[in-house]
Amino acid sequence: MAKLRARLLGVLVLLTGFLSAAGAPPAAADGLPDSLWFDAPAAAGLTVDGGRFTDGLGREVVLRGYNVSGETKLEENGGLPFASVADARKSATALRALGGGNSVRFLFSWAHAEPVRGQVDTAYLAAATDQMRAFLDAGIRVYPDFHQDLYSRHLFDAGSWYTGDGAPEWAVETGNYPAESCGICFFWGQNITQNGAVKQAQYDFWHNAHGLQDAFLATAQATLTYVEQHLTAAQFAGVVGFDPYNEPYAGSYDPGQAGRGWERDLLWPFYVRFRARMDAAGWQDKPAFVEPNLFWNANIDTQKQEGGLLDAGTLGPRYVFNTHFYDQKAISGILMWGKAGDGQYAGDFSTVRDRATAAGTTAIVSEFGHPLSGSVADKAPTVLKAMYQALDSRLPGAGWWSRPVASGPVLSGTQWQWDLYSGRHHELMNGNASKVRTSGDAWNDEDLSAVRLDDSGTAVLRQDARLLDRLYPSATAGTTLAFTYEDRSRDGSTTLTWNPVPSTLPHVAQLVGAGQYGLLVWRSDGGAAPTELHLPASFATSATTVVSDLGTAYSPPAYTASTPIAVAPEPGGTGARRLLLTAPGAGVLHYALVTNGSTAPSAGLLSAARSELSSWAATAADQPAS
């Protein structure tokens, strides 16, 4: 019913939009600062429809952002992402304005939600919900995650080299697990398959030993209910779903069992039970963001296991295929000696697209990233560029222009991570006052945060802004056929260009020059609401050029319903901006090149570039997708 109501509201708003285009100016929308007439109905719901995320107006939505944050894995702020709501607001504003994000994966802690068995800590839930609200009020969509790594910090001794997070102390005491030891482990993740205590604890959870899974699900339902009841209807509409369990793994398999069988017999039934808890808590119209076996898409052959929820059938709109991807070869420092290159992860991310399509749903890569310090940090600029490239398109840059319709859907993704306290922590590792961790993420020597606070308390990026603050189609009024973005991000002093404009389009190449550019090709849906692309800060309105079948614009004007190419603030009052493209007709092919490469281009150059792109788009659209 909620989905039907959202669609009916969308129809009403579209009719209003048509009237506005005919001459009556649309009234300003209630709700978030900087909202336009279509924003409130668009934000009224996010669903899975036809294998894609769609908003309340039926537009195709791409979620991009960050995990907020690894601070939840620490004890210094009581399992919360932030020390205060004020810090959460500062983080949300920076994430939108500096990081270009429109969504976050928001971490919850089971240990703090249920510190005593059977007793939910409503003070913790209240504090977490208040911090979540800071992101919703900034126009950022949220999907919470019950996070765990290595099952629980309470498995680890005070003097251990490693730590974990997730399950409460009582859950560990119930299990009477062996003394933890990873042996000779160089990376914390090796504990997953080598630490006997971690393996047994994971095994017990999936087999519901001691009623552990029952207890978790009861706390999950209490959490879901609390969040639904303590947000306004508009705020709750911005909560797009829930990730039940981070990086699930069996611990150990039963005799004759392997990854696929474990997913079928234990993991999927858990998700069905969690789905029922969501329904009972008022989340029936929101999908569960379900993760397969942690190792299903490992890029080291000896770690890879068969999986991907292959036996779950058609997931449909009530589930999202949710996976992680890290280049373990690059992180190892041994298995990949050089840097990442053009198309490095095209195959890995195509596998994610294909699996979601086969499951009848959409996909999100809810964690990806690379260390920013240590012996392999030099790979980070190229690894992250290649990962974002693979989110944008399944094609390498070298082949994009020749067959763009093979791009596939633009994938949603949230980078690990966005931690305001990066390098400024004060974490007593495993409660040991002689092991205070301050550097990096303060957790198992990780250092992946894209942001930090400078000495004045201002949020600043730790990675190239051209890499993180990206042009992407946040809402497409129709169906995306192809998208690419050349960010021109840097590896040290070297500017990385993996998708140059081909010489067969000389005027387009001249217009782009050495600047950044993005190109979207789509078929319109006939609605009055525009297609939206996030405009990075590097695309100052006064220096942005758009060449489209809708027209050309240098320094696009402010939005009106009758302006086909326009710029407007993104809702939430953070200072972030968006490009709005209003395209008439249903099923009509459209294209838009967006670049910051030229200063005051001549009318002749714009016309010539448009002519080249028009011929290219018509030819490209006639090509087969594969």
Side-chain angles (χ1 to χ4, degrees):
M1 287 298 293
K3 184 175 180 180
L4 177 60
R5 287 194 298 271
R7 288 288 184 267
L8 291 174
L9 180 59
V11 170
L12 176 61
V13 171
L14 288 177
L15 290 174
T16 303
F18 284 128
L19 292 174
S20 300
D30 294 330
L32 298 176
D34 297 322
S35 290
L36 295 170
W37 65 270
F38 53 86
D39 286 321
L46 188 76
T47 56
V48 178
D49 187 11
R52 56 184 186 157
F53 287 117
T54 56
D55 65 16
L57 296 176
R59 297 181 303 173
E60 183 178 280
V61 168
V62 173
L63 302 176
R64 289 288 176 88
Y66 304 84
N67 283 260
V68 178
S69 71
E71 176 68 16
T72 301
K73 296 158 68 166
L74 307 180
E75 290 297 304
E76 61 185 6
N77 283 319
L80 292 166
F82 302 98
S84 65
V85 173
D87 280 1
R89 291 190 184 118
K90 177 185 291 189
S91 180
T93 298
L95 187 145
R96 196 91 155 120
L98 298 179
N102 67 0
S103 60
V104 294
R105 181 173 180 246
F106 188 96
L107 275 58
F108 275 91
S109 166
W110 178 22
H112 291 87
E114 189 186 8
V116 177
R117 184 164 193 161
Q119 297 181 25
V120 174
D121 187 346
T122 55
Y124 172 78
L125 297 185
T129 304
D130 284 345
Q131 293 184 8
M132 185 192 307
R133 190 178 291 110
F135 289 84
L136 296 168
D137 289 346
I140 297 170
R141 288 187 167 102
V142 174
Y143 62 106
D145 155 50
F146 261 120
H147 208 80
Q148 71 80 37
D149 294 283
L150 309 183
Y151 190 70
S152 174
R153 69 184 290 266
H154 299 289
L155 286 172
F156 292 84
D157 299 329
S160 177
W161 288 3
Y162 300 105
T163 190
D165 70 285
E169 187 173 13
W170 63 259
V172 172
E173 291 176 345
T174 299
N176 191 29
Y177 299 114
E180 62 88 10
S181 174
C182 192
I184 302 175
C185 290
F186 298 102
F187 305 101
W188 71 261
Q190 292 175 268
N191 283 271
I192 298 170
T193 56
Q194 293 180 220
N195 190 320
V198 173
K199 291 169 63 178
Q200 185 61 47
Q202 292 178 114
Y203 181 92
D204 281 359
F205 179 85
W206 297 113
H207 287 79
N208 199 23
H210 318 293
L212 289 167
Q213 194 176 116
D214 292 339
F216 173 84
L217 289 168
T219 297
Q221 183 171 339
T223 300
L224 290 158
T225 300
Y226 188 95
V227 170
E228 191 274 337
Q229 292 179 349
H230 289 81
L231 295 175
T232 67
Q235 289 168 341
F236 189 57
V239 180
V240 300
F242 206 106
D243 183 345
Y245 198 90
N246 179 67
E247 296 183 354
Y249 180 62
S252 57
Y253 294 122
D254 290 321
Q257 191 182 63
R260 180 172 180 171
W262 174 77
E263 284 189 347
R264 180 192 62 233
D265 299 336
L266 292 168
L267 181 61
W268 183 249
F270 165 76
Y271 286 146
V272 172
R273 296 183 73 197
F274 194 97
R275 174 72 264 179
R277 300 291 183 142
M278 291 177 69
D279 295 347
W283 293 57
Q284 58 267 34
D285 296 317
K286 300 180 186 294
F289 285 57
V290 292
E291 300 185 37
N293 179 340
L294 167 63
F295 296 109
W296 84 280
N297 62 340
N299 73 335
I300 297 177
D301 290 342
T302 57
Q303 292 184 350
K304 196 179 187 77
Q305 299 179 13
E306 187 179 18
L309 304 178
L310 294 169
D311 298 301
T314 300
L315 301 185
R318 287 167 56 78
Y319 298 92
V320 168
F321 187 74
N322 170 19
T323 189
H324 297 175
F325 183 80
Y326 294 94
D327 186 346
Q328 297 296 339
K329 292 181 179 178
I331 291 173
S332 74
I334 299 172
L335 300 176
M336 185 183 114
W337 288 100
K339 307 289 185 73
D342 179 27
Q344 185 88 15
Y345 306 116
D348 297 295
F349 284 54
S350 291
T351 298
V352 174
R353 287 179 173 89
D354 293 343
R355 182 66 204 108
T357 298
T361 187
T362 191
I364 189 167
V365 183
S366 60
E367 282 191 29
F368 61 95
H370 190 82
L372 300 183
S373 63
S375 61
V376 298
D378 65 307
K379 302 179 191 295
T382 57
V383 166
L384 265 294
K385 180 179 173 74
M387 288 180 177
Y388 274 111
Q389 180 194 50
L391 287 173
D392 289 344
S393 169
R394 67 164 71 228
L395 298 173
W400 190 88
W401 284 91
S402 61
R403 53 190 188 102
V405 292
S407 287
V410 181
L411 282 177
S412 295
T414 46
Q415 183 178 329
W416 185 273
Q417 65 162 325
W418 190 268
D419 175 18
L420 279 189
Y421 311 115
S422 173
R424 296 175 179 270
H425 294 281
H426 189 84
E427 173 71 2
L428 279 61
M429 185 175 179
N430 297 319
N432 189 337
S434 66
K435 295 185 73 173
V436 179
R437 296 292 179 256
T438 60
S439 62
D441 301 343
W443 193 87
N444 286 341
D445 295 324
E446 286 199 333
D447 184 15
L448 283 88
S449 178
V451 71
R452 66 177 178 86
L453 296 178
D454 66 14
D455 290 342
S456 70
T458 301
V460 295
L461 295 179
R462 300 181 64 224
Q463 294 173 272
D464 188 349
R466 290 181 285 190
L467 171 69
L468 299 180
D469 187 13
R470 306 179 63 80
L471 189 83
Y472 61 93
S474 52
T476 301
T479 302
T480 299
L481 299 180
F483 175 72
T484 190
Y485 180 52
E486 179 48 79
D487 57 44
R488 311 272 194 188
S489 57
R490 294 158 293 190
D491 180 10
S493 60
T494 301
T495 298
L496 302 171
T497 301
W498 293 351
N499 192 356
V501 178
S503 59
T504 52
L505 303 169
H507 293 99
V508 176
Q510 180 183 348
L511 185 69
V512 168
Q516 299 166 292
Y517 81 88
L519 180 53
L520 175 68
V521 183
W522 79 104
R523 289 195 184 276
S524 54
D525 62 5
T531 288
E532 301 185 33
L533 291 94
H534 169 72
L535 270 183
S538 57
F539 282 70
T541 302
S542 60
T544 295
T545 301
V546 181
V547 177
S548 170
D549 66 288
L550 303 174
T552 62
Y554 175 70
S555 185
Y559 173 79
T560 70
S562 59
T563 307
I565 301 171
V567 170
E570 289 178 334
T574 62
R577 295 165 305 117
R578 51 186 166 163
L579 179 70
L580 302 177
L581 304 170
T582 303
V588 178
L589 180 71
H590 299 284
Y591 64 87
L593 172 81
V594 188
T595 184
N596 58 7
S598 294
T599 302
S602 68
L605 177 58
L606 293 174
S607 177
R610 186 183 184 195
S611 178
E612 288 177 353
L613 284 171
S614 179
S615 298
W616 168 85
T619 302
D622 290 335
Q623 295 177 346
S626 59

